[in-house]
Structures are given as C-alpha cells and as structure tokens.
Amino acid sequence: MTDEKRVTIEVDGRQLQARPGTMLIEVTDAAGIPIPRFCYHKKLSVAANCRMCLVEVENIPKPLPACATPVMEGMKVRTRSPKALAAQQGTMEFLLINHPLDCPICDQGGECELQDVAVGYGGDLSRFTERKRVVKDDDLGPLIATEMTRCIHCTRCVRFGAEIAGIRELGATGRGEHMRIGTYVAKTVDHELSGNIIDLCPVGALTAKPSRFQARAWELTQSDGIASHDGVGSNLHLHVRRGRLLRVHPRDNEAVNETWISDRDRFSYQGLYANDRLLAPMIRKEGQWHEAGWDEALQLVAGQLKDAAAQDADSLVTLLSPRATLEEMYLAQKLTRGLGSPHIDCRLRQGAFSDATAPLFPWLGMPIAELERVDAALVIGSHLREEQPLLAHRLRKAALGGAHITFINPFELELTHPARQLVGAPDVMGRLLAGIAQALGVEGVAKHDGDEVHEAVARQLKEAGNAVVLLGNLAASSPDFALLQGLAQAVAEVAGARLGYLPAGPNSTGAALAGALPHVLPGARAAERSGANAAGILEKPRRACLLIGFEPDADTWNPAQAQASLAQSEFVVALSAWRSPALEAVAQVLLPLADFAETAGTYVNTEGLWQGFQGAIAPPGSARPGWKILRVLGNLVGLDGFTQVSAQDVRDELAGRCNGVSPDNRQRGELSMQLGGVGSQSGLQRIGDVPIYAVDGLVRRAPALQRTAAAVGFGVGLHPAEAARLGLADGAQVTVTQGDARVEAAVHCDRRIAEGCARISAALPGSGRLGMAFGPVTLEKV
C-alpha cells in the first residue's frame, strides 16, 4: 500500500497509519490498543448499538463509537481520557441495570465478555434499586440453550443469521429495555452454522445445550484439533474436563474456516460416548461374540491375512473410510500391498470409476479462501450446504458479491443466495451439462437440444475472469460419473475456468498422497498394477477383508450388495469405534479403534493443506489408534518397514515420498462424452443422497444433532405430480423394491425433486437394506 493511499492518525499519543474510511476500532485492534466492545465483531456489519466503545476525538464535543467512526487524516483520539472513561463507565452501568447477578450458575462464567469488561469499567455498587426485567426463554432447539434475561441486545446473533447464515432465524422485537431477541414464529434455529451464535454471544444468553452445567470454564483444558467430517478441515479448540471431551469451539484460521465451524463439527463429539462404543477386541466363535485380549485377536488376524495372501493375494482386500488419517491410510496400503494385493480403496460412496484415465491427485482446484472471490461457478451434483457447509458459506459470499452461480442437481436446493438451478433426473444431469458444453462449442460432445439457459450459463463462465467448475458427491454417486467428469473438464478448459472436486470425506484428498487408492501409489504416483475399486471389491465374496472405520450398511454405495458379499467372505476383520449390528453380522473379529480427538494424525484438506493434530483425550477401554494397530499387524505378518514409534514417524516417512507432488485435476486419457448410464433405465430412479447428520458413524451417534429438524428420517420423497401418477398421497405407506431388497417407508411430497425420481436418502435407519444410491426402484402402496 503506497503512502498516498493511507492516512495518519494519533491514538493515545501513538502515530498510526490506515486506509481512509477504515473504522477506528479496526486500526486500534491492529495496533494492540484495547477498546471495550460488545456489539462489534470483525465478521459482522457495524451496529454501534452497545456504545461500549465510546472514545474521545479531538474537536468533537461528544464521545464517538470507535466501531462506527471512520479514520481521517490528522484525527487525534483518546481512548483513556477522563471523557472517554466516563462515557464507557456510564454505558457499563446502563448495561448492568437489567443484567441478572447469576454468574455462579451461568455457563459463560469465567469466559464472559461482560464479566471481563465490568471488572475494568463497572462500579462496585449499583444505584439501580427498581425491579429488574425478566424475559421468558424461547426454545431454539436441541443445540442452543437460552437465558434471555441475560441478553444485552448486542444483536450479534441477529446479524449472524442475516449476514453469514443467510437465514433470518432470529430477530429483535420491541424497543429499549423491552427489546427481545427471539424467533419470529416460534421456530427452532436449524441452520447448519447456527451454533456459531454461541461463540458470538458476549454474555450467557446463548450457550451450548449439550454441555450445559457440566463444567466451569476454568476446569477445562484446551487442545487443538481438526474437524473430521468434510474436506474443509476446520480448525478446532477441544475443551476437556477430567479426560472427557465436553465442548468444541472454532479456532481462527482465515485461510480455512475463518472464525466459524459447522454444527456437525461442533456437536458430533457426543458420538464418542455412545452406548455401543467398542471397548475391547471381540472374536466371534460358533456364532457368539467373545471378548479377547489384543495378543489373541491380532495373532488371529495376522494369521488369516498371511494365509489369504499365501493362497491367493488377489483374495485379500482392504476398504477404508475417508475419515481415516493419513497415517492410517499409508500403513493400510503398505500392509495390503506388502502382502501382494493391490485391492485397496476409500471411495466407498462412489458409483462409477474411470481409474485408467481419472486424475491421480484431485483437489478443489484453488485455495479455499479464493472460492469467495470467483466471478462464476458451476456446481455439478452437490448439495453443497450439507456436504461442505463452510464451502457453501464461501460461495454465498461470492454470490452476494455478484458472482453467477449455477447448480445442476436431481433436486432443487434450499439456497441462501441468488443462483440458477438446473434440475433433472440422474440421467438428465449429464444432458444438462452436455447442453452447456455444446453451447461452449466443446468438440466431441453428443448432440443435445440446447436452450437459452445453457447459452446463458456458458456465456457467464466464459466471460468471467475467475470461474470454477465443481464436481460434488452426488455426481460421484451417479453411474454417469465418468461422463460428468469428462464434460466438466471439457467445459472448464473451453470456458477458461478451473476444475475442482468436492471430496467425500475429510481425508479424501489425502488418499492419493497415502496411496489408499487401487490405481495410486504413495506420493500420488500411478500404480503399474491397478487393483479393484470399492465397488469391484464388494461385488463378490473374498478370502480376507480388512475394513477400517466404516459401517457397510450406511457408508457404502450399494449397502445390500456390500453386506451380502462381506457376509459370504471367509474372514472379515473390522477396525471400528463402535459395535454396529451390520459389522457384527459380517465380521469375525472386531478391533476397537480410537476415533476423533482420541488419536494423533493428519488430514489433507480439499486445497491440499496438511493439518496435523494430537489426541486430546485417551481412547476408552482398550481402544487403540488405527496406525498402531496396523503397525503391529505389519510386524506380525513379517513385513519390513513397520518400526514407527509415533504418528509423526509415519507422517515423516510419507512426507519424504511426497516431495514435489502437486495436485492436478486433469484426466490422463480420452474424456468420456457419451450420454448413457442411468439414462438407459426406465421407471422411477432413486436419488440416494446422504443427509448432513448421517454422513458418518460419529455424527449418526450424536444425540443432539439427531434431534434437530435437519436430521431427516427414512422416507420416500416424490414430486407431487409423480405421486399423483402413482396414485399416492402425501403420507402414504409404500413398499420400496430395489433389486431383491424390499422395505416399507412413508411418502412425502416435495416439489423440489425432479419428476421421475424418488429421493430415498442413504445412511439412515432402514436404508441399509437397499442397493445402489442411484438406480431404478419401484413403489407399491401398502
């Protein structure tokens, strides 16, 4: 910044420089000069309604709020003058008039901004003798506890909903001391980022309901962590009391999650304490499960893996969750390939594969922070708010800045920003994208009847100075994924846009670096001998199967087939944090696995950033970190290279094999341009999306999240016109048939769903008996 574009001001005798128009409080914060405040927050608009930041400005007769006063050349400011202190102390006295003296029972006690400021600016006696106001509490849902008598009307929560969440869930009614903050029509607060108002509240009016009254702030120890549910890798503070994780708060990182985290990241820790937590190794003998010691269980597993490899290495397979750490993925592939098998994969919910031509190291295509600066974006097959809540927030910021956003999906999304939505059945998604490709003049694309909408989207992408094309999880679940990949790359190349992939899990990007893919070796190198992908692995029974960190009835693309093939396999060992019925039905050995906050490791987020973390609490019972279990197994089967003594040793070994590796989204062969896939099927097509609070075992076991309005139950969603054609009314009970599987469910009509489709979400109780996430289904009225 040149001197001509800066002004010089004086604050408490110090010379400071700033951009013209910058608010005074921003300048003093950057210079480390403290000014008290309640309503101001760096991520929210200026409200200037608490008046706590009043300061004296030379030649101005009255004190001015620092949060709403722009700096000007030659301005002289005093933050600690008698006039400024008198104004601040007066404001503090007024704020305390109606605030209850219940600090001893307030969850915010000990970390309360009001307490802190009152120490410096409050009086020791109150001159107010009248009765204090009392405000009736609203029920905001299972996540946020309210004590609105404590509210000081800073309106941070209201502004967060309007400006960050994009949904005005909270508002203010009344004036003066009669103002009340609440919901407009007695609704709960259900936005996927709503928990952030807990951190924003400067008093104890809004606190975390799941951890209410469980600990005082000074009893908690704080550790750093990384979120384990999506590809952002949000930075966390983990708060622990006596070895138990009680709270999760955001840790500021502007490049990754700014100052926010999703509710999924904040409250999923409850799943660590589920009743079905696996606490000791279990072995099934004669149909009964028996607790065993680690030595017995590991010797049995090692023997079975060695026998399978000796008889036929191709009969040994490994499947991992994309929540596995980089260290677990690396050692798992090292064990599998060391025994002679190339069959390892973590793309459990992907529907179609083109490993011979697919990119080796797919990623977002840009830094996360740059997503909010795009001029145009085309998002293909993604319920972005549920898949990647903080990426959806970044894209919303771009849209509010004027960016042209287009979605292609099998159902219409509930968005919080302007966007164009192209909705069509799963087979139509490819045709919609082909129409845009044809409008751009992509060579080789199958002929398609384009229209003005395709022309408009193509023009916006091509004319944008900074455009991106993103492929999401619904696209990856589609049998037309290879086509969508090919068309997306062609559209991006011709339009001059960047291509990006939205990962399925927190370490999906890291899987290429760890070599936890059948066609990729550590360091994102192409394998000479490619193994079977996840779908191929689960097509038939195997001699020995190693499962790490997932449940086959909820975390696979075709749960019915997965469970059937695993049940018929000779030997299945599952490393799991929980004793799920699905695992007990298919496995012979269960090994207790440390989960989130209990193990050290590394996640590679969607922009390729390595983020390490340490365990904040000890695993329960006899559970152990996955990298330790795999290291011991490697030694027991007689392989070299399993001598690591810490997760850091594993990470360092892998990092040495990743020197000079950079992500690349370009396909390595001829692009697929031929329409087909599910389009060749007739009848009703299933849309098996994964709801936000069913994405993994930890979230599925978090009681507070499962009580939210966003935690949908198992059912069949139909467009009203489709329901009428089938003779079904809203609420009707139907039998859903998919292949050999049959389940009963209730119908609910939803105009957002494409005609010809049935939205039957996956990973929910009841969905595990069905098959492909995208495929033909039939409905019969019960």
Side-chain angles (χ1 to χ4, degrees), residues 402-519:
H404 299 285
I405 314 296
T406 303
F407 288 88
I408 297 178
N409 279 309
F411 53 85
E412 186 177 336
L413 308 180
E414 290 187 35
L415 297 176
T416 58
H417 57 80
R420 175 184 282 111
Q421 297 199 58
L422 308 182
V423 178
D427 61 310
V428 178
M429 288 169 59
R431 300 182 186 278
L432 293 171
L433 184 55
I436 297 171
Q438 184 173 306
L440 283 166
V442 173
E443 296 182 1
V445 66
K447 290 297 181 183
H448 177 77
D449 295 331
D451 57 25
E452 293 181 0
V453 173
H454 297 138
E455 296 281 352
V457 175
R459 184 170 56 255
Q460 289 167 356
L461 289 172
K462 197 159 189 176
E463 293 177 354
N466 183 10
V468 64
V469 178
L470 299 172
L471 282 162
N473 296 170
L474 285 171
S477 296
S478 170
D480 273 340
F481 184 47
L483 168 68
L484 296 175
Q485 274 184 307
L487 288 172
Q489 179 171 319
V491 165
E493 289 177 352
V494 173
R498 282 178 282 190
L499 176 65
Y501 286 81
L502 299 170
N507 212 22
S508 295
T509 305
L513 294 171
L517 300 170
H519 61 296

Side-chain angles (χ1 to χ4, degrees), residues 56 63 73 93 118-119 161 163-164 238 263 265 274 279 333 361 439 468 496 544 641 648 694 776:
E56 181 183 0
E73 180 64 41
E93 184 175 20
V119 169
E163 299 164 14
I164 305 300
L238 310 177
D263 291 354
D265 295 335
L279 302 177
Q333 69 82 31
F361 189 2
V468 64
Q648 185 64 47

Side-chain angles (χ1 to χ4, degrees), residues 192 262 264 385-387 389 690-696 699 710-711:
E192 60 274 9
S262 68
R264 185 169 63 186
R385 282 181 57 189
E386 297 204 351
E387 290 177 17
V690 180
I692 186 171
Y693 298 140
V695 69
D696 56 56
V699 172

Side-chain angles (χ1 to χ4, degrees), residues 317-640:
V317 298
T318 298
L319 289 171
L320 308 91
S321 165
R323 293 183 68 235
T325 66
L326 204 60
E327 292 79 1
E328 291 165 351
M329 286 183 171
Y330 176 62
L331 291 183
Q333 69 82 31
K334 196 172 186 180
L335 173 64
T336 306
R337 290 191 166 102
L339 290 171
S341 172
H343 308 308
I344 179 170
D345 206 351
C346 68
R347 299 166 297 175
L348 304 178
R349 291 196 174 117
Q350 188 163 316
F353 301 83
S354 54
D355 289 350
T357 59
L360 295 176
F361 189 2
W363 68 305
L364 184 62
M366 63 175 65
I368 288 173
E370 196 170 323
L371 192 60
E372 67 187 58
R373 295 190 287 272
V374 300
D375 301 316
L378 173 60
V379 186
I380 305 159
S382 174
H383 193 339
L384 195 60
R385 282 181 57 189
E386 297 204 351
E387 290 177 17
Q388 315 281 345
L390 289 173
L391 293 188
H393 163 62
R394 297 273 191 181
L395 203 62
R396 178 177 184 272
K397 292 169 76 174
L400 296 182
H404 299 285
I405 314 296
T406 303
F407 288 88
I408 297 178
N409 279 309
F411 53 85
E412 186 177 336
L413 308 180
E414 290 187 35
L415 297 176
T416 58
H417 57 80
R420 175 184 282 111
Q421 297 199 58
L422 308 182
V423 178
D427 61 310
V428 178
M429 288 169 59
R431 300 182 186 278
L432 293 171
L433 184 55
I436 297 171
Q438 184 173 306
L440 283 166
V442 173
E443 296 182 1
V445 66
K447 290 297 181 183
H448 177 77
D449 295 331
D451 57 25
E452 293 181 0
V453 173
H454 297 138
E455 296 281 352
V457 175
R459 184 170 56 255
Q460 289 167 356
L461 289 172
K462 197 159 189 176
E463 293 177 354
N466 183 10
V468 64
V469 178
L470 299 172
L471 282 162
N473 296 170
L474 285 171
S477 296
S478 170
D480 273 340
F481 184 47
L483 168 68
L484 296 175
Q485 274 184 307
L487 288 172
Q489 179 171 319
V491 165
E493 289 177 352
V494 173
R498 282 178 282 190
L499 176 65
Y501 286 81
L502 299 170
N507 212 22
S508 295
T509 305
L513 294 171
L517 300 170
H519 61 296
V520 182
L521 299 178
R525 295 179 294 113
E528 293 183 6
R529 180 193 174 204
S530 183
N533 55 53
I537 286 173
L538 292 170
E539 278 182 349
K540 60 182 180 180
R542 302 285 179 165
R543 172 69 178 83
C545 304
L546 176 61
L547 313 181
I548 303 175
F550 73 94
E551 296 163 291
D553 63 327
D555 297 318
T556 55
W557 184 70
N558 190 333
Q561 184 183 65
Q563 293 173 95
S565 65
L566 290 172
Q568 296 172 36
S569 296
E570 293 185 34
F571 181 77
V572 176
V573 54
L575 279 63
S576 175
W578 301 279
R579 289 187 64 175
S580 82
L583 285 176
E584 290 188 347
V586 302
Q588 282 71 47
V589 178
L590 297 175
L591 301 179
L593 184 67
D595 203 84
F596 165 75
E598 299 169 348
T599 184
T602 307
Y603 284 146
V604 180
N605 74 358
T606 186
E607 72 170 57
L609 178 65
W610 293 44
Q611 298 191 104
F613 51 89
Q614 298 295 320
I617 55 176
S622 299
R624 295 291 182 268
W627 71 268
K628 287 188 176 182
I629 300 171
L630 294 165
R631 181 201 61 190
V632 174
L633 283 175
N635 286 319
L636 290 177
V637 299
L639 296 176
D640 295 330

